[in-house]
Amino acid sequence: MSQPMLGRYRLEAHLGRGSMAEVFRAYDPDLDRAVAIKTVRLDTGQFAGNTDELIARFQQEARSAGSLSHPNIVTVYDYGQERGLYYLVMEYVEGDTLARRLAGGALPAGEAAVIVQQACEALGAAHEAGIVHRDIKP
């Protein structure tokens, strides 16, 4: 049984789901590397009938994120659409999620401070580029 494809990317594992999107680890055979793919279906459910505006917002998000270069911001490589599914292809960063790290209890204060500092530096770089995130969670 072959693995599902999205464009040229081979989907390998489901990493997570948010209110609007799902994220997968995938493989880019052209560049021989793992990537993360954020997918969102804009033509069904809560988005049906409002797709033109949402597609424009998605494309703007892809362009904005793709213009950033910072050590604490994943690099955006590509974006596209296939069969009503819009996707954003990003750098895949190996490691644990913050949720898994917190499952064992609170992080030591010093470690938590480093994570918060890195997040603030990333947001600062985005803000300097005129980009506002709109979905930051504690």
Side-chain angles (χ1 to χ4, degrees):
M1 183 173 170
S2 65
Q3 292 176 300
M5 300 291 291
L6 185 59
R8 73 176 195 243
Y9 306 99
R10 185 177 68 227
L11 302 181
E12 296 183 330
H14 186 264
L15 299 176
R17 172 178 283 132
S19 62
M20 288 182 49
E22 292 187 73
V23 179
F24 298 87
R25 185 183 72 235
Y27 177 71
D28 179 347
D30 288 358
L31 297 176
D32 189 29
R33 66 179 170 195
V35 294
I37 299 184
K38 175 183 175 181
T39 65
V40 61
R41 182 168 293 282
L42 300 176
D43 61 352
T44 61
Q46 70 187 47
F47 305 118
N50 197 17
T51 56
D52 289 344
E53 179 186 341
L54 291 166
I55 290 167
R57 283 178 39 196
F58 180 80
Q59 290 171 331
Q60 181 58 41
E61 175 187 347
R63 286 186 196 100
S64 295
S67 72
L68 296 173
S69 178
H70 189 274
N72 298 331
I73 300 174
V74 295
T75 302
V76 172
Y77 299 134
D78 192 12
Y79 76 96
Q81 181 271 335
E82 187 172 306
R83 301 179 309 272
L85 190 65
Y86 291 78
Y87 60 92
L88 189 62
V89 183
M90 302 168 285
E91 170 186 11
Y92 176 74
V93 179
E94 189 72 46
D96 255 344
T97 66
L98 184 57
R100 277 192 223 130
R101 297 281 311 279
L102 292 172
L107 297 175
E111 192 174 344
V114 168
I115 292 170
V116 170
Q117 179 180 359
Q118 290 172 343
C120 288
E121 289 171 359
L123 286 169
H127 289 175
E128 285 179 20
I131 298 167
V132 177
H133 189 286
R134 296 186 192 179
D135 193 24
I136 302 301
K137 297 173 183 68

